[in-house]
Every structure is written in C-alpha cells, then in structure tokens.
Amino acid sequence: MKTCVVLLMVLQTMPAFAAFERIAYGARGAAMGGSLVALGGNAWSAFVNPAALRTVEERTVSLCYAPRPFDMKELSFGAAAYVEPTSLGTFGLAATRFGFDLYNETRAALSFAEEFTSGFWAGVNVNYYGLTIRNYGSASAIGFDVGVLVDVSDLVRWGFGALNLSASTIGAAHEKLPQHFTTGVAYMPFHGALVTASVMKDVRYPVELHVGIEYTMLEILAVRAGTTSDPNTLNAGLGVRVGFADFDYAFSSHTELGVTHQVSVSLRLGMF
C-alpha cells in the first residue's frame, strides 16, 4: 500500500508524466542536465539526436542503470546501446526498460546516421515501443525520430532533434506518445572544456531549458554539472577513462522528489 501511495505522489508531481516520457540515459548526459542534442561522440545521443551517432569514431557498447530513482526501486531503469561505424554510415541499436512487475515500458531503437557534407550530419531512428500493465494487458507501437548536427565553427556545434516525428499512439485508446523537439549548441571555449545548452519543447507542455558543463583533466578525468527547468533539477557527476573503457556517474536532485543516481560504462572496441 505504501508503494502505491508513493508512486501516485511521484506521478502527480512530475508535470509531464505519461508513457515513455523522456529519460536522460547515460550518466554523462544526465550529469550535464540532459543537454545532449549537440554533443558528439556519445552512444546515448541517439535518444535525443540520432545524427550525433556519426561522430562516434569507434565500435562502442554502452550500458547504464539507475537502481532507485527518487529512492524507489519501482522506478528503476536501464539501457544498452551498440554503435557500429562503417564506411557506409553509422548504425546503432539501443534498448531500454523502465518500471517494475506491475508496470513496465520497453523500447528498442534502430538508428542510422551519415555525414553528408563536411560538418553536416543527419540521422534517423526507427523505434519500437512496448507497454505492459498487469491485469490490463500489453500494447505496442512504431515511431520515427530524425536529427541533424552541424559544425557552425571550430568551437561551436549546433544540433536539432525531432522525437516521435510520426506522432505515434499506443493502445486501444490511441494514447499519444510524447513528441519532443530539441535544439541546442555545444561550445568548446578551450581544450578540455565544454559548455552545452538546449531547449526542449514537448508539444503538450512548456519549454524546458537544459544547461551543462564538462571539464576534462589529463584526458582521463571529467568533472560535470548541469541543471534543468520544469522540472527543476541540479545535476553533477564524474567520468573516468581507463584504457578502452569509460566509467561515468551522475547525481540528480529534483526539487520535490529527491535524488537519482545513475551509472554507465562504455567500451570502445576499435575501428570498423
């Protein structure tokens, strides 16, 4: 009974909650306030801007997990991503799971990205959404995302992502899946420093602002921080590079719901 009451409080407090709401997968992006749309070299970029996958230079396997968001194991989520750069373009495959035995969401995304001219990338996702609610059954849907990434200058990169551009629905009631449009920039003021900023508009809700910073020391340790609006969160984290592996941790504090810890690991497995 206590679990049900707390879950209801969480769902009522989150202003944009519905099936398949956006989650900042990957501890690097989560620590930077989810400001990923113009961030390259990251397997998790597929969930914000599939075009950015083309900037992943090596075959990469990534895993992330948040065991107790807001101190509730029922809200746990995890994801896995695989990126394969080839001479024909970059292919990606990702899968996510959110929830527990009474309610869970799964998503699988097949991605493709290519650099069409120097400094201009475009990409697309084909998504499968699966929803299961105990005693109510299951439902599924297919949707599409698109994105572009542009080098504005040597120091500035701009990105745009349209998620669920197909305006897909799910279930017998044809519930609309979230539809987001995100745009933003990444700015490198000097070597090792990165500042990202983006705005995200869910077609149903007010604009969100996401801002993040990252500073990498000695090429092996990264310190990160970020913030978001509506909902208001403060975020921070660390990243460590050891050989071919990247280990990342993110801490997010929601003004009303509390804290979420997320960890992720990425293995760089060499060139195609």
Side-chain angles (χ1 to χ4, degrees):
M1 181 64 180
K2 179 181 177 181
T3 297
C4 293
V5 171
V6 177
L7 275 173
L8 285 173
M9 291 174 62
V10 170
L11 301 187
Q12 289 173 353
T13 306
M14 297 178 72
F17 183 86
F20 299 99
E21 282 301 322
R22 188 172 54 85
I23 292 174
Y25 292 105
R28 183 189 183 195
M32 298 175 69
S35 185
L36 282 173
V37 69
L39 188 64
N42 191 328
W44 304 112
S45 297
F47 292 113
V48 181
N49 180 2
L53 287 181
R54 190 52 172 163
T55 64
V56 178
E57 297 180 349
E58 300 181 66
R59 179 181 295 117
T60 302
V61 176
S62 298
L63 304 170
C64 77
Y65 183 54
R68 298 180 67 91
F70 314 128
D71 199 31
M72 293 195 63
K73 65 180 180 179
E74 291 82 5
L75 299 178
S76 66
F77 63 83
Y82 175 76
V83 181
E84 179 74 21
T86 75
S87 58
L88 301 176
T90 296
F91 297 87
L93 182 63
T96 70
R97 186 184 187 279
F98 166 84
F100 63 121
D101 56 346
L102 298 182
Y103 176 97
N104 67 78
E105 303 169 359
T106 58
R107 174 184 172 188
L110 179 63
S111 308
F112 176 76
E114 176 60 309
E115 185 176 17
F116 290 93
T117 62
S118 179
F120 176 84
W121 300 266
V124 61
N125 290 337
V126 180
N127 301 300
Y128 166 83
Y129 302 92
L131 174 64
T132 300
I133 305 175
R134 183 183 289 182
N135 300 327
Y136 288 90
S138 302
S140 61
I142 301 294
F144 302 91
D145 310 329
V146 298
V148 295
L149 190 66
V150 178
D151 277 342
V152 179
S153 71
D154 292 339
L155 302 179
V156 178
R157 178 172 284 171
W158 169 79
F160 171 80
L163 306 187
N164 189 23
L165 186 63
S166 52
S168 300
T169 62
I170 193 168
H174 300 288
E175 178 185 356
K176 291 183 178 180
L177 293 171
Q179 189 175 33
H180 303 142
F181 298 91
T182 307
T183 187
V185 296
Y187 170 57
M188 184 179 292
F190 53 88
H191 180 72
L194 184 66
V195 179
T196 60
S198 62
V199 291
M200 191 276 286
K201 180 67 173 74
D202 185 305
V203 296
R204 306 159 297 171
Y205 300 106
V207 170
E208 296 179 17
L209 175 65
H210 300 254
V211 177
I213 58 173
E214 177 183 72
Y215 180 65
T216 303
M217 297 172 282
L218 303 176
E219 305 297 331
I220 60 171
L221 175 65
V223 180
R224 304 175 180 123
T227 185
T228 69
S229 67
D230 198 22
N232 297 319
T233 68
L234 294 175
N235 312 275
L238 295 171
V240 177
R241 172 163 291 193
V242 181
F244 63 90
D246 296 327
F247 301 93
D248 298 298
Y249 165 75
F251 170 91
S252 300
S253 177
H254 190 288
T255 53
E256 297 181 51
L257 299 178
V259 302
T260 297
H261 302 275
Q262 184 178 165
V263 294
S264 62
V265 58
S266 295
L267 305 178
R268 290 169 280 105
L269 305 178
M271 305 294 288
F272 62 87

